[in-house]
Amino acid sequence: MAKGQTNKGLTERLQAALKERGQRWTEQRQIIVDVLAASDGHATGAELVERVRQDDPSATPSTVYRTLDLLEELGLARHHHGPDGRETYHLEETTEHGHLHCRGCGAEQELDAAAAAPILKAITGATGFSADLDHLSLQGLCATCRADQKG
Amino acid sequence: MAKGQTNKGLTERLQAALKERGQRWTEQRQIIVDVLAASDGHATGAELVERVRQDDPSATPSTVYRTLDLLEELGLARHHHGPDGRETYHLEETTEHGHLHCRGCGAEQELDAAAAAPILKAITGATGFSADLDHLSLQGLCATCRADQKG
DNA sequence: TTTTGTGCAAAAGTTTTGCAGATAT
DNA sequence: ATATCTGCAAAACTTTTGCACAAAA
């Protein structure tokens, strides 16, 4: 889906979920979902507030945060914590994935389910834990930076 | 080392590092290092402020945070982020380790280097990343909670 | 028309910063 | 003596909350 464009399927899911709970579809909620969709799933709460306000200057932090909470309740969004500890939101429809942050070059890399499978397996083997891929946020040195250090 | 007791080796390292940089050893810094040592390496900034103030009511947040920053600069302390995103500090002398947070029962388990080795190996194999054990903070279900869910 | 949502404003919680006075060297 | 530290106070920043008005159903 191109950025800045309304995500039709998502809107429908949102409207259905709201209707079922006797809650209301509003333009603000649509904007927030759109912004979240356009952010490809990696934006802090504060960033989302700022972006929403670009689309709709009258929007307030309270509405954005309340909507993010609502979206999580509805199972349409999730959040995890980045290396700086701030909340980072993404839509649940985004494929579940982990994150890798390189402390050398600052690059952020996604870790899809297939790539993560052996890692999760190793975690279970070593600890008995079944780790949540969505909360897997690793820091370290990427292959390039490791090579640079050696050279 | 028993809690509430001054960590002699650490104090000496701190004094040496400060002297080398032309900085000063102060009682406040000693208290903060002691509190950190007594916390076994798992305390948020705000918690440390509170604990330091129990020993020395005149201590202020600014001093505590400035000292924590200093200790990190000197390589005597480190911080990572817990599942709630807040900074968690621990002394560097503490054996490097990761953390596992169970979303079922809330238990927190440490992950020592030996247990983590296969996990880090799997991460490198799958991604090329050399992950920092100290920043490894996983969430998931522990073995007990997984069994409960099945039962 | 009735319930829910929004904007506003202010508060809460954590962490940072400026500055004058105090302290270590 | 002089550069560094501390406490104080206030600010910065993210996130939350209370309330009266606006809007959706």
Side-chain angles (χ1 to χ4, degrees):
Chain A
M1 191 188 74
K3 296 201 179 194
Q5 182 184 328
T6 295
N7 179 326
K8 290 288 171 29
L10 198 55
T11 298
E12 280 154 20
R13 280 203 282 157
L14 174 57
Q15 288 183 336
L18 289 173
K19 192 168 191 176
E20 190 181 356
R21 295 165 50 122
Q23 294 182 290
R24 303 183 184 166
W25 179 90
T26 65
E27 192 169 354
Q28 288 88 341
R29 289 177 175 177
Q30 181 66 58
I31 291 172
I32 292 166
V33 167
D34 288 347
V35 167
L36 205 43
S39 300
D40 279 338
H42 300 95
T44 63
E47 282 168 355
L48 290 171
V49 169
E50 199 181 332
R51 291 179 198 173
V52 166
R53 296 189 73 127
Q54 282 171 15
D55 280 28
D56 174 5
S58 70
T60 56
S62 41
T63 300
V64 174
Y65 283 107
R66 283 188 284 226
T67 300
L68 290 171
D69 286 350
L70 175 64
L71 292 174
E72 288 207 82
E73 262 186 67
L74 296 177
L76 296 174
R78 280 169 158 276
H79 80 271
H80 64 103
H81 289 94
D84 60 354
R86 285 187 301 189
E87 294 179 328
T88 306
Y89 287 88
H90 67 82
L91 291 170
E92 173 57 24
E93 63 156 9
T94 302
T95 308
E96 202 191 23
H97 61 272
H99 294 93
L100 299 158
H101 305 270
C102 177
R103 86 179 113 80
C105 59
E108 183 175 321
Q109 189 179 320
E110 288 195 3
L111 184 64
D112 65 28
I119 298 171
L120 297 182
K121 201 169 161 185
I123 292 170
T124 304
T127 69
F129 256 70
S130 164
D132 300 338
L133 176 54
D134 226 49
H135 287 262
L136 190 66
S137 194
L138 304 170
Q139 280 181 82
L141 277 182
C142 70
T144 305
C145 288
R146 282 205 293 158
D148 287 355
Q149 278 204 337
K150 282 175 196 160
Chain B
M1 191 188 78
K3 296 202 177 190
Q5 181 181 330
T6 296
N7 179 326
K8 290 290 170 29
L10 197 56
T11 299
E12 279 155 19
R13 280 203 283 156
L14 173 58
Q15 288 183 335
L18 289 173
K19 192 169 191 176
E20 189 181 358
R21 294 164 51 122
Q23 293 182 290
R24 297 171 190 177
W25 179 89
T26 65
E27 192 170 355
Q28 288 87 342
R29 289 177 174 174
Q30 181 66 58
I31 291 173
I32 292 165
V33 168
D34 286 348
V35 167
L36 205 42
S39 300
D40 280 337
H42 300 95
T44 64
E47 282 168 354
L48 290 170
V49 169
E50 199 181 331
R51 291 179 198 172
V52 167
R53 296 187 74 127
Q54 285 172 13
D55 279 28
D56 174 4
S58 70
T60 56
S62 41
T63 300
V64 175
Y65 282 108
R66 283 188 286 227
T67 299
L68 290 170
D69 286 351
L70 175 64
L71 291 173
E72 288 207 82
E73 263 185 67
L74 297 177
L76 296 175
R78 281 169 158 275
H79 80 271
H80 65 103
H81 291 93
D84 60 355
R86 284 188 301 188
E87 295 180 325
T88 306
Y89 288 88
H90 66 83
L91 292 171
E92 174 58 23
E93 64 156 11
T94 302
T95 308
E96 204 191 20
H97 61 273
H99 295 93
L100 300 159
H101 305 271
C102 178
R103 86 178 114 79
C105 58
E108 182 174 323
Q109 188 178 320
E110 288 195 4
L111 186 64
D112 65 28
I119 297 171
L120 297 181
K121 201 169 163 186
I123 292 170
T124 304
T127 69
F129 256 69
S130 163
D132 299 338
L133 176 54
D134 226 48
H135 287 261
L136 189 66
S137 196
L138 304 171
Q139 279 181 81
L141 278 183
C142 71
T144 306
C145 288
R146 283 205 293 157
D148 287 353
Q149 279 203 337
K150 282 175 196 161

